[in-house]
Amino acid sequence: MAAHLSYGRVNLNILREAARKELREFLDKCAGSKAIVWDEYLTGPFGLIAQYSLLKEHEVEKMFTLKTGRLPSADVKNIIFFVRPRLELMDIIAENVFNEDKLHSTRDFHILFVPRRSMLCEQRLKEQGVLGSFINIDEYILDLIPYDGDLLSMEYESAFRECYLENDQTSLYHTAKGLMTLQALYGTIPQIYGKGECARHVANMMLRMKREFAGIQNQILPVFDTLLLLDRNVDLLTPLATQLTYEGLIDEIYGITNGYVKLPPEKFAQKKQGEASKDLPTEPKKLQLNSAEELYAEIRDKNFNAVGAALSKKAKIISAAFEERHNAKTVGEIKQFVSQLPHMQAARSSLANHTSIAELIKDITTSEAFFDNLTVEQEFMTGVDTDKVNTYIEDRIAQKDPLIKILRLVCMQSVCNNGLKQKVLDHYKREILQTYGYEYILTLNNLEKGGLLKPQTSSRNNNPTIRKTLKLWMEDANEQNPNDISYVYSGYAPLSIRLTQLLARPGWRSIEEVLKMLPGPHFEERQQLPAGLHKKRQQGENRTTLVFFLGGVTYAEIAALRFLSQMEDSGMEYVIATTKLINGASWIKSLMDTPEAQMH
Amino acid sequence: YYVATSYREKRLDSRLSHLQSAVDEYNKAKNEFASKATEDEMRLLRFQKKLDDEKGAGLMGLSLQATMETLLMLGLYKQTDQLYRDFKVPDKRYWWLKLKSLAEKEEWEELEKF
């Protein structure tokens, strides 16, 4: 069922199993038939841990979405609320329970807080006078969710906003806790590196938590050699750029949530003879995307310009395989062919799906608008004319293009220029407020607080130095057969990944100067292992690094790290963890504030 | 903070007073840009109120650009020009808007005038 999790260097299925075990134990605590009332936000992440079948085995008969008013009727003994610890959700629960009590029902109520219970929420329930109605109040610690064979995410949407705008370090606490859970299952990680304020906090918390458990020695042979903690604000540029890998583009255009993507159905209509276009599906087509699908694993991290060739090569292999049947003469040969059929058919339908997706994307990437936008992005990244008002952006504002797209470009220019001249910045801001409405002044404020948009404070611009030292721009990026990570953005090598690459070889000491130009401290910590657990490394064995992105990571960055893992001489394999999978649009959106205008 | 509250106010006068508090706060924080932008918004709201009362134009709460667009659609060219001057709208964006709106309405005569 979750085979894709055990393919990688580190078997993440162990983590998933641990999470499932805990869930089962909680469910068994509530004896008898049950209905689960879901905080809707949680259903996606939970789907990665347990399917409905698991819940069913534990007598879960009904599932509802949490909403105000009365609970839908169901003939069950237990009602279990699965919620995030949010006050507004407590009020809804209280209303539900209150309405239920009026009917004198004899049901038992339970609450499961994800990922932690909160005093404040329980207090709120008490104030509402329903706290006593609950038989079990428990927490389900779900910090790091296994997403794919080499990828963990907390799916904690507001982490960047909380850390950099609101100075709220809750997400960092969850991160540290999550890493402790991980170490309990996979062994203590001997080396910790980090860059950035938040990274420092997380490392400090981890070390403190470890001291608190000083008595208990972890006797597991460490799976990870190194942990690298990176703040998102060390590299603000990368997520703003349009990702150009296959998976990255799917996310940019359609959005991938919890491993699923919804696509326009027209391209996927089953063409059957006789019933032409009579009933085209109107529901969006939902596809699961992970490395369990052989073809997808092969093409997801390629530059989109190399996907076409890969697909047609695959098509040839598949049709050749089908042709084999003509050569099958003996009964044994035919039998063997038939036994391969299901696999071949799966491969063929997966090929058909991805050919359709690639066509959809191609329509967009070959459009003029996409090209113009990319040209401006690349100018900014190479440092061309970043200090004056850009006419393309002005034109796009005049045409009322989506605001997020505009903000992405303006922020990008600001980041690439190490801040904009006051006059330029004010001009953009005025243009935006006059066109999209005054209410976005709050959003602009947020972007300034987060450092994505800022006035120039000194005339010194470090970007050219950083760009040159870290080789962030490669003129001759090879999209078909890449030899460098810059292929994921067709020329731009993500700063975050360069830092990771340089840490492995030759080490950060060589780029001390540049590290100082980037925000936040950089540091190194060691965790003592009990004697006897030091790994005896065999010749040629790869080391494993867990890279944790605090504040989000993009699919293109993940692709670049996978590329590094596969490089023969790198000697390093990477597992990736993050607070949230993001792209430029979803990231900016999480920083926006739009009060509902009600006046009319 | 006052900005956010102001949007919860349904009535114009109380919204304006919240915005005035926001202006004061922005001045205290020496955020010139924001206080100017907020004053502009108050000016725009008053203008919209006046035209809504006189002509029933349904402008309230629209952005400046959308306000001008609506006025052009209604053929209120004089008022549009007034906004363009009062709020120092960049020429480039204004011409784009005017060109597009007038072409849509096929008002070739008015188009020739500028």
Side-chain angles (χ1 to χ4, degrees):
Chain A
M1 191 72 87
H4 59 287
L5 296 178
S6 39
Y7 287 162
R9 163 84 187 228
V10 175
N11 186 352
L12 295 180
N13 230 341
I14 299 176
L15 182 63
R16 184 172 180 266
E17 277 310 318
R20 287 161 72 95
K21 185 166 160 259
E22 219 182 305
L23 182 61
R24 282 194 220 109
E25 279 168 6
F26 175 79
L27 290 174
D28 289 339
K29 251 196 241 172
C30 321
S33 58
K34 326 173 184 23
I36 295 180
V37 183
W38 288 97
D39 173 354
E40 210 166 9
Y41 183 85
L42 290 175
T43 52
F46 257 88
L48 296 165
I49 297 294
Q51 270 79 20
Y52 184 46
S53 54
L54 179 140
L55 300 175
K56 227 171 171 174
E57 281 166 28
H58 295 266
E59 296 178 83
V60 174
E61 292 177 356
K62 287 266 171 33
M63 312 241 263
F64 307 115
T65 308
L66 182 64
K67 48 176 178 271
T68 51
R70 189 176 291 172
L71 287 169
S73 63
D75 186 20
V76 290
K77 186 160 176 300
N78 299 284
I79 302 277
I80 311 176
F81 294 94
F82 278 31
V83 287
R84 288 168 294 165
R86 301 242 167 141
L87 289 179
E88 66 273 18
L89 297 178
M90 296 308 111
D91 294 344
I92 302 178
I93 291 181
E95 194 183 335
N96 281 176
V97 173
F98 194 69
N99 279 326
E100 201 68 13
D101 282 348
K102 274 198 297 206
L103 299 172
H104 305 289
S105 84
T106 52
R107 289 160 163 184
D108 292 345
F109 293 105
H110 315 269
I111 291 192
L112 191 59
F113 284 115
V114 185
R116 299 244 137 57
R117 57 197 291 177
S118 110
M119 292 291 284
L120 279 175
C121 286
E122 286 171 41
Q123 186 63 33
R124 181 65 148 249
L125 290 174
K126 201 172 177 182
E127 281 163 22
Q128 302 267 16
V130 292
L131 187 66
S133 311
F134 293 96
I135 295 186
N136 279 308
I137 295 181
D138 228 319
E139 60 185 12
Y140 181 62
I141 301 171
L142 186 66
D143 289 320
L144 283 164
I145 307 165
Y147 214 93
D148 211 329
D150 55 358
L151 179 59
L152 299 161
S153 171
M154 294 165 66
E155 288 305 289
Y156 195 107
E157 200 152 21
S158 48
F160 185 87
R161 187 189 172 109
E162 289 176 9
C163 289
Y164 300 102
L165 263 51
E166 293 156 5
N167 252 327
D168 174 350
Q169 290 167 357
T170 316
S171 67
L172 300 182
Y173 174 75
H174 292 317
T175 305
K177 275 284 188 193
L179 284 166
M180 294 314 279
T181 313
L182 206 65
Q183 292 191 89
L185 291 168
Y186 296 96
T188 306
I189 306 173
Q191 271 186 315
I192 304 177
Y193 292 91
K195 170 74 187 162
E197 291 290 344
C198 295
R200 183 70 264 185
H201 276 301
V202 170
N204 287 348
M205 277 192 269
M206 283 173 69
L207 296 172
R208 196 161 56 232
M209 287 172 191
K210 186 163 184 263
R211 275 200 300 277
E212 284 164 14
F213 288 109
I216 313 155
Q217 288 280 18
N218 187 335
Q219 293 298 340
I220 299 169
L221 199 67
V223 174
F224 298 103
D225 301 285
T226 311
L227 165 67
L228 170 60
L229 296 160
L230 279 179
D231 271 37
R232 184 72 270 176
N233 83 337
V234 170
D235 175 11
L236 293 170
L237 172 57
T238 302
L240 292 171
T242 303
Q243 313 171 65
L244 296 174
T245 57
Y246 182 52
E247 188 167 38
L249 276 167
I250 296 179
D251 187 41
E252 294 275 345
I253 299 169
Y254 299 108
I256 302 175
T257 33
N258 300 306
Y260 286 88
V261 64
K262 281 184 183 159
L263 297 158
E266 299 81 21
K267 282 262 181 188
F268 299 93
Q270 292 284 333
K271 285 189 193 81
K272 279 183 200 143
Q273 281 147 353
E275 45 174 336
S277 58
K278 202 170 56 191
D279 37 22
L280 276 175
T282 44
E283 288 273 298
K285 167 108 175 163
K286 204 173 168 193
L287 272 183
Q288 190 174 22
L289 300 172
N290 62 42
S291 51
E293 192 183 344
E294 203 182 311
L295 175 64
Y296 187 61
E298 209 178 305
I299 58 175
R300 68 197 304 187
D301 299 321
K302 285 187 187 305
N303 185 294
F304 185 65
N305 284 333
V307 167
L311 285 174
S312 75
K313 199 171 117 203
K314 193 78 181 181
K316 283 195 194 106
I317 295 173
I318 291 176
S319 53
F322 271 98
E323 285 309 310
E324 288 276 304
R325 69 175 186 273
H326 299 302
N327 304 329
K329 295 272 155 50
T330 67
V331 178
E333 281 170 348
I334 293 173
K335 227 180 184 168
Q336 204 201 340
F337 178 79
V338 171
S339 73
Q340 283 172 356
L341 260 182
H343 178 72
M344 283 163 64
Q345 260 153 359
R348 192 157 69 171
S349 84
S350 137
L351 179 69
N353 279 339
H354 287 290
T355 310
S356 303
I357 299 175
E359 281 171 12
L360 285 168
I361 293 177
K362 194 154 190 200
D363 287 345
I364 292 169
T365 53
T366 49
S367 71
E368 212 175 308
F370 187 87
F371 180 78
D372 290 345
N373 190 62
L374 199 62
T375 309
V376 174
E377 281 186 14
Q378 301 209 332
E379 276 174 17
F380 288 161
M381 287 192 281
T382 44
V384 178
D385 286 344
T386 48
D387 56 347
K388 47 184 184 231
V389 173
N390 181 290
T391 46
Y392 175 75
I393 298 182
E394 273 188 323
D395 289 348
R396 291 343 289 166
I397 294 176
Q399 301 293 332
K400 266 202 136 176
D401 271 17
L403 177 60
I404 289 189
K405 175 184 165 178
I406 306 289
L407 292 174
R408 220 170 141 168
L409 283 171
V410 175
C411 289
M412 197 167 179
Q413 186 178 354
S414 169
V415 171
C416 288
N417 199 48
N418 197 18
L420 295 168
K421 281 195 196 117
Q422 193 69 50
K423 230 178 78 192
V424 176
L425 181 63
D426 285 354
H427 177 76
Y428 279 137
K429 290 205 297 195
R430 239 161 58 88
E431 289 277 278
I432 289 168
L433 294 185
Q434 289 194 348
T435 307
Y436 297 92
Y438 166 77
E439 66 266 32
Y440 292 105
I441 196 167
L442 299 171
T443 300
L444 292 175
N445 275 343
N446 288 348
L447 293 174
E448 285 191 55
K449 251 193 189 164
L452 279 89
L453 202 60
K454 59 178 183 188
Q456 216 165 33
T457 41
S458 73
S459 52
R460 231 180 103 74
N461 180 0
N462 287 328
N463 276 304
T465 321
I466 297 173
R467 191 161 51 237
K468 239 174 86 190
T469 321
L470 298 182
K471 297 201 186 72
L472 296 186
W473 185 261
M474 303 296 270
E475 218 32 84
D476 46 359
N478 187 337
E479 294 168 349
Q480 305 291 332
N481 293 301
N483 50 11
D484 180 74
I485 55 168
S486 56
Y487 84 93
V488 297
Y489 288 97
S490 294
Y492 167 71
L495 191 153
S496 55
I497 312 303
R498 262 302 185 249
L499 289 181
T500 313
Q501 189 181 13
L502 288 166
L503 176 66
R505 185 183 299 175
W508 272 0
R509 217 155 292 154
S510 62
I511 50 163
E512 201 68 34
E513 284 302 307
V514 171
L515 282 174
K516 276 187 198 142
M517 292 175 188
L518 299 167
H522 56 283
F523 59 89
E524 179 184 351
E525 299 282 353
R526 274 170 197 285
Q527 299 198 91
Q528 279 302 322
L529 293 178
L533 284 185
H534 290 282
K535 247 202 245 178
K536 287 177 195 69
R537 198 167 303 282
Q538 267 141 29
Q539 196 70 35
E541 194 191 318
N542 281 348
R543 302 167 66 83
T544 307
T545 297
L546 175 66
V547 190
F548 204 119
F549 293 86
L550 302 163
V553 69
T554 65
Y555 287 99
E557 289 175 295
I558 295 169
L561 279 177
R562 285 186 183 139
F563 172 77
L564 288 181
S565 296
Q566 280 158 15
M567 274 208 326
E568 267 172 26
D569 57 345
S570 76
M572 188 65 87
E573 286 202 34
Y574 295 98
V575 174
I576 303 128
T578 184
T579 49
K580 174 86 182 129
L581 290 155
I582 56 168
N583 61 43
S586 66
W587 187 39
I588 297 243
K589 205 167 167 196
S590 79
L591 299 175
M592 284 174 79
D593 259 328
T594 35
E596 278 306 307
Q598 295 173 326
M599 189 169 65
H600 273 295
Chain B
Y1 166 72
Y2 286 108
V3 178
T5 355
S6 84
Y7 276 92
R8 270 179 244 127
E9 293 296 342
K10 284 194 170 48
R11 286 182 44 218
L12 182 65
D13 46 357
S14 48
R15 187 190 272 206
L16 283 173
S17 81
H18 276 298
L19 287 175
Q20 186 55 51
S21 322
V23 171
D24 297 344
E25 289 300 315
Y26 281 133
N27 277 332
K28 260 189 237 162
K30 295 213 166 51
N31 189 339
E32 244 170 80
F33 176 85
S35 76
K36 179 80 181 22
T38 312
E39 276 168 4
D40 278 354
E41 170 69 4
M42 292 167 65
R43 215 143 46 93
L44 181 64
L45 284 172
R46 290 200 189 95
F47 177 90
Q48 289 171 336
K49 175 89 169 73
K50 187 167 144 259
L51 270 193
D52 278 359
D53 289 351
E54 283 170 16
K55 320 244 176 199
L59 299 170
M60 200 43 104
L62 293 180
S63 76
L64 178 60
Q65 186 83 347
T67 308
M68 295 196 298
E69 202 174 342
T70 315
L71 290 178
L72 286 173
M73 284 301 161
L74 294 170
L76 299 168
Y77 305 119
K78 238 174 55 201
Q79 286 85 342
T80 322
D81 266 342
Q82 189 197 332
L83 281 179
Y84 154 69
R85 280 193 307 274
D86 284 2
F87 288 91
K88 300 201 180 67
V89 177
D91 293 350
K92 196 160 124 187
R93 178 150 53 82
Y94 185 56
W95 289 341
W96 261 116
L97 175 70
K98 204 154 172 183
L99 213 71
K100 240 173 66 178
S101 307
L102 294 181
E104 246 167 64
K105 280 182 67 190
E106 304 185 9
E107 289 271 359
W108 309 119
E109 262 173 56
E110 190 64 32
L111 201 57
E112 261 170 40
K113 272 192 239 163
F114 79 53

